[in-house]
Amino acid sequence: MVPTEVLAAQHIVTLGRLLGPLGVRSEGVVGGMGAVERRDVLARVASGETQIVVGTHALIQDGVEFKRLGMVVIDEQHKFGVSQRGQLVAKGVQPDCLVMTATPIPRTLAMTIYGDLDVSVIRSAPIGRLPIQTRVIGEDKLEAAYEFICKQVGKGRQAYIVYPLVEESETLSLKSASERFLALSQGVFQGLRTGLVHGRLSGSDKAAVMEGFVDGTIDVLLSTTVVEVGLDVANATVMLVENAERFGLAQLHQLRGRVGRGVHKSFCVLQGEAKSRDSWRRMKVMEETCDGFLIAEEDIKIRGMGNLLGREQSGLPRLRVADPIADVDVLKVARSEALDLVSRDPGLVLEEHAALKKRIVTLYEAVKEYVEVG
């Protein structure tokens, strides 16, 4: 399951190239499918004729049935809610589940610390990729940033400019993607090939613009965060995020990851104002490191790690004394003790554990859909 139709299409092409020659059939299930196409694909999925299914949120809708769902992969898992991930897993009988992300959200990192997930880590970047130079600037440096983009396009490169809004807000003094597109395409970017993409476009229009950027027929892509995942353009070397103080660390790290995917030196420019201490800290963290693990730890410190047994993915942890970052060694010992206890008394049926079991059941009755208490 992936968050966008563009990313689903890319995965289907890749899987077809790798596994098609072996006789493994891969197909997609997305919201933009026609009724007849959807019916035929779902029939092949239900019968097992299609062995690998790549889809968006459409996978968790009623009517999508699998013959024998053995493995679930959640790509860019930070884009999905806890319930959505659970809905897909529930379509099988205890299928294996792999969740993937370039930037662990605080809740995921916290669950990892507690040992609920087995973790595989890829710390090295793909061979040949160069570090991305990141800089935080104010409003007064925007024109220089636009000129820098023009110079990069003059060298044959491409650039993204990302905004937090589609249209100007009456309550927020933020630049909008649509208004800036008109101003820039008729101004400093006149003569360049510009494109605009945002979530309010139809699926076909959105795909057409993104494909134009992938094909190189668009030089500068102005966008909201719909480009956060799903675009792999090696020729793109500049990511400019305006009003960067409005974005979270995970989003900023994902957006930066849209550049630096080729052999050319790449740059990420974060234009923002210090609206609060936390917003300034987020931007400075991005300027100081490209390490997703350090960024995730800072995210926990800033936002809180969320509720480990529920839907909340941010906020203060429900811990009375422990700090999930500073006390990681203590938490590992606690986890080891808990595993030892459960191995000796799996259902906590011994009299000596009766009070503990009662406490657990009382505490987590409201979230029993997420946990299994014996």
Side-chain angles (χ1 to χ4, degrees), residues 336-346:
S336 177
E337 290 295 322
L339 291 174
D340 181 60
L341 173 63
V342 172
S343 67
R344 288 185 283 107
D345 184 11

Side-chain angles (χ1 to χ4, degrees), residues 309 364-373:
L309 298 173
Y364 301 118
E365 178 66 24
V367 293
K368 60 186 177 182
E369 62 185 293
Y370 303 106
V371 295
E372 191 174 310
V373 180

Side-chain angles (χ1 to χ4, degrees), residues 22 36 69 133 136 164 268-269 283 300-301 363:
L22 302 177
V36 175
L69 184 59
Q133 184 176 333
V136 177
C268 177
V269 182
M283 291 187 290
I300 279 190
K301 294 175 184 177
L363 282 174

